Amino acid sequence: MTAAIETRNLTKRYGHSRGIIEVDLVVETGQIFGFLGPNGAGKSTLIRLLLDLIRPTSGGASVLGLDVRRDRLAIDRRTSYVPGELSLYSDLTGRQLLTYLGNLQGQVDAAYRESLIERLELDPTKRIKSLSRGNKQKVGLVAAFMIRPELLILDEATAGLDPFIQLEFEHLCEEARDEGRTVFISSHQLPEVEHLCDRVGIIREGRLLAVETIAGLKERALRRIEIDFIGAVDAEAFANLPGVSDLIVRDGTLRCTVMGSVDALIKAAAHFEVRNIRSVDTSLEEIFMAYYGSGEAADKSAAGEASHAAA
Amino acid sequence: MLLRNVFTKTVRDLRWPTFWVSLGCGVMTAYFAILFPTYSKLFDLNAMLEKMGPAVKLLGASLGDASTLIGFLHIELFSMILPAAMVAFAAGMASGFTAGEESRGTIDVLLSYPVSRSRVVLEKWLAIVLACIVAAVVLWAFALTGAAISASALPPDRLGAALVMLVLLGLAFADIALAISAFSGNRGAAIGVTVALMVAMYLIDALSSIVDGLGTIRPLSLFRYYMGGDPLRNGLNLGDAAVLAAVVAVFLAIAVVAFERRDLAA
Ligand SMILES: Nc1ncnc2c1ncn2[C@@H]1O[C@H](COP(=O)(O)OP(=O)(O)O)[C@@H](O)[C@H]1O
Ligand SMILES: [Mg+2]
């Protein structure tokens, strides 16, 4: 099966500053894919490359198996896009805009369009210039969903939506997925998309760091582990265990941070008499931060450890 | 419905500017046509022009014979006011075609629908062609009505020939502005450069008969082709029209290619 999105060594430089660097990303069809990264990471750059709005410095990309440069119109017919900084023709009403975009597309299921307008509670008679950011966003979403695209590319599409509409939007994404279509949604806030996405890609400073399922992301989670021992323990026995860092052994208690599997740590601990094990699961946000700021999450846990030790 | 495609949408965007420019130029021309007999009775215009000497040539009244309505319109309107209005309108609108969509950010959504970049440029260009033709036809009708009211002779075909040249001149500058904005994405630069070019070309043409040396570069001025053949007196000069049409075609092609190749502003 052809991937919904495939980039090969995709690189975009703006003069000397980076946009994205050698991104190899594959998004399979039939899923909701979250594209996560802090502001300035390169999310919009990658998306605008997929739309052929900007051209790569090197590398290439295909969408639905079609080359983004060569097969532009074929891709446009089967995909839709809501840009991050959404601007629409402000002198048109919502309905006029949807009419125009529908005409550009060719064929639009009018009944489905009306149902979308209703579900997102859009007032299509208002001029776009009079709409709030959230309401403007709704026009963009109706325009994107109304053509029932095989791939939806949404750049920070949830920003500015109120909670009820956000929920309706998530239903729309899930419906699309359940029909075997693909949703690619970027965000700089994990909590906004964490429960929605099947998989996420994490980009930071222009480089794709990881592509994971949410479950996998949790699996690779940083865990804070504390083990209380009965009797003396040899700190040396825990040194250099795979995935273990920030190790402190004091007063019969071991504290450390584990990335990924805790197996090696448990096996090492089994050589001693264990009274209790506590595992403090980090939140997904913390995991995310671990990918983001290579230093940041580690610093945080180190700081926690230090205060612990002082107490 | 004016929301069918990029062409009709642009026609819709241009409808009010086109209405006002057509009406303004039309009423002005009708006004001169109606008042022409009164003017020519009150003043011996040719003698006045003669007395003003070379200075009047700066205003473009190089070939005029003010004793006929058509000569009068040439001096009063076709030499400066109408081309300035037409160029300002056509180039002003064209400079915002792609650059306006870019700076407002609407280009992202537009191009995510199955419309190619070249199609966007061409359909928008077609809309400005239509707008210029509409303005010219309105002007033609107003002028002939005015002439009929004042019972002055005004040959419709030669007026038409001058309007063809006016439209071609407007489109030539419109395409220059379109090409600059398609290349740079900068509407201000497109307007600035185009207006500067228009003024320079106007001065070259107007001054070439009184300043030695300018004659050699006069062929570089589009104004040379616009009224150089005096279409109001001699009818359409196909050679001159072809030169302007070629400029229109070349800069349209440059605009299409430039827009096709560029990274578009976010
Ligand atoms: N037109 C541009 N010119 C120069 N640098 C740019 C341009 N667009 C984006 N960048 C840079 O590329 C990087 C990625 O930007 P962007 O893709 O917008 O990030 P994100 O969407 O993840 O917030 C940023 O460092 C930004 O400054
Ligand atoms: Mg962005």
Side-chain angles (χ1 to χ4, degrees), chain A residues 12 52 55 81 87 89, chain B residues 101 104 108 117 260 263:
Chain A
K12 177 66 183 178
D52 195 37
R55 307 293 166 52
Y81 164 52
S87 339
Y89 301 101
Chain B
E101 297 245 12
R104 283 191 293 274
D108 269 45
R117 292 190 189 190
E260 195 64 61
D263 278 1

Side-chain angles (χ1 to χ4, degrees), chain A residues 132-255:
Chain A
S132 68
R133 179 171 152 75
N135 281 324
K136 217 175 285 180
Q137 201 74 14
K138 290 190 211 168
V139 181
L141 289 173
V142 172
F145 279 94
M146 72 179 180
I147 65 170
R148 290 185 191 274
E150 287 167 59
L151 170 67
L152 277 135
I153 298 177
L154 308 169
D155 196 358
E156 312 259 358
T158 53
L161 294 181
D162 61 46
F164 174 78
I165 301 300
Q166 163 91 21
L167 207 63
E168 201 53 51
F169 162 74
E170 287 171 9
H171 288 323
L172 286 172
C173 290
E174 283 157 2
E175 284 172 22
R177 186 230 355 243
D178 295 344
E179 290 168 21
R181 301 187 277 132
T182 312
V183 181
F184 182 86
I185 176 167
S186 86
S187 178
H188 65 278
Q189 284 183 313
L190 180 64
E192 274 191 6
V193 293
E194 149 188 354
H195 49 284
L196 180 64
C197 297
D198 305 303
R199 288 170 83 82
V200 294
I202 294 178
I203 185 171
R204 177 168 174 264
E205 291 182 0
R207 290 182 191 275
L208 187 69
L209 296 186
V211 175
E212 289 264 22
T213 58
I214 293 282
L217 204 60
K218 281 184 169 152
E219 204 144 286
R220 287 192 50 179
L222 287 175
R223 256 177 287 241
R224 211 90 58 74
I225 304 267
E226 297 184 358
I227 306 177
D228 298 333
F229 295 97
I230 297 168
V233 287
D234 181 8
E236 281 302 304
F238 298 95
N240 303 319
L241 290 175
V244 173
S245 57
D246 308 321
L247 179 75
I248 293 176
V249 181
R250 185 171 300 169
D251 303 331
T253 298
L254 173 150
R255 296 186 183 91

Side-chain angles (χ1 to χ4, degrees), chain B residues 28-29 32-33 36 39-40 43-84 154 159 162 202 206 226-227 230-233:
Chain B
M28 186 168 62
T29 312
F32 276 99
F36 169 69
Y39 269 97
S40 55
F43 314 103
D44 182 350
L45 293 162
N46 276 341
M48 277 173 62
L49 290 175
E50 207 52 53
K51 248 199 310 211
M52 285 161 78
V56 78
K57 296 201 161 127
L58 247 182
L59 298 172
S62 42
L63 295 156
D65 169 12
S67 64
T68 62
L69 174 55
I70 206 152
F72 183 66
L73 290 181
H74 186 177
I75 296 164
E76 293 291 342
L77 296 176
F78 277 91
S79 54
M80 190 159 88
I81 296 175
L82 286 178
L154 184 58
L159 178 63
Y202 180 82
Y226 160 59
M227 281 286 127
D230 200 0
L232 281 167
R233 209 179 309 175

Side-chain angles (χ1 to χ4, degrees), chain A residues 12 48 51-55 73 76-77 81 83 86-89 91-92 96 100-101 103-105 143, chain B residues 3-6 9 12 101 104-106 108 110-115 117 260-261 263-266:
Chain A
K12 177 66 183 178
R48 297 185 84 243
L51 269 292
D52 195 37
L53 294 164
I54 52 177
R55 307 293 166 52
L73 297 186
D76 288 339
R77 270 187 277 274
Y81 164 52
L86 176 64
S87 339
L88 303 165
Y89 301 101
D91 57 322
L92 300 184
Q96 285 173 327
Y100 181 45
L101 296 179
N103 285 337
L104 293 181
Q105 178 68 26
Chain B
L3 296 168
R4 277 225 65 76
N5 52 41
V6 176
K9 165 74 164 61
R12 187 182 186 280
E101 297 245 12
R104 283 191 293 274
T106 49
D108 269 45
L110 177 60
L111 290 179
S112 76
Y113 285 81
V115 190
R117 292 190 189 190
E260 195 64 61
R261 300 170 79 97
D263 278 1
L264 300 180

